[in-house]
Amino acid sequence: MTSSQADGRGLDEQAVLLVAGLADLAVSTVGSALGTARQLLRRSDGPDLACEAHQDLLARGRIVLDRYAAAPPAHLEVLAQHARTRRTAPGGDV
């Protein structure tokens, strides 16, 4: 790739245009999010929505902790299972 593209713009100008485009996208996204937040605050059932959102977040937190923070099996239990397997294996082969 050369320093100038087919449209005749240099890399510096393209970088400036890219940053300007990203900034415009960020501003419009934030503006849209603020508009949505404003609409939610105007609703009469706002406290109910907040309570439901709180309960949903708590439930999600429990699910995540259950999924990723499960305790490993007890070390002594694993050793006992290995010992039982050795005793029951024919000829002590394990």
Side-chain angles (χ1 to χ4, degrees):
M1 197 172 207
T2 62
S3 65
S4 64
Q5 297 295 325
D7 60 3
R9 297 190 177 155
L11 289 178
D12 293 340
E13 187 176 352
Q14 288 180 13
V16 169
L17 291 175
L18 181 64
V19 169
L22 287 172
D24 182 55
L25 178 64
V27 167
S28 66
T29 302
V30 168
S32 175
L34 287 175
T36 302
R38 233 181 274 123
Q39 289 175 353
L40 286 174
L41 290 174
R42 288 182 187 151
R43 292 180 60 153
S44 62
D45 61 345
D48 294 334
L49 284 175
C51 183
E52 288 177 17
H54 182 252
Q55 294 298 331
D56 287 346
L57 287 175
L58 289 177
R60 282 178 174 266
R62 276 190 218 106
I63 290 170
V64 168
L65 287 179
D66 288 345
R67 185 182 309 149
Y68 295 110
H75 180 68
L76 292 177
E77 180 67 27
V78 172
L79 289 176
Q81 290 173 357
H82 284 293
R84 184 177 57 231
T85 304
R86 283 189 181 156
R87 273 187 256 138
T88 59
D93 231 10
V94 175

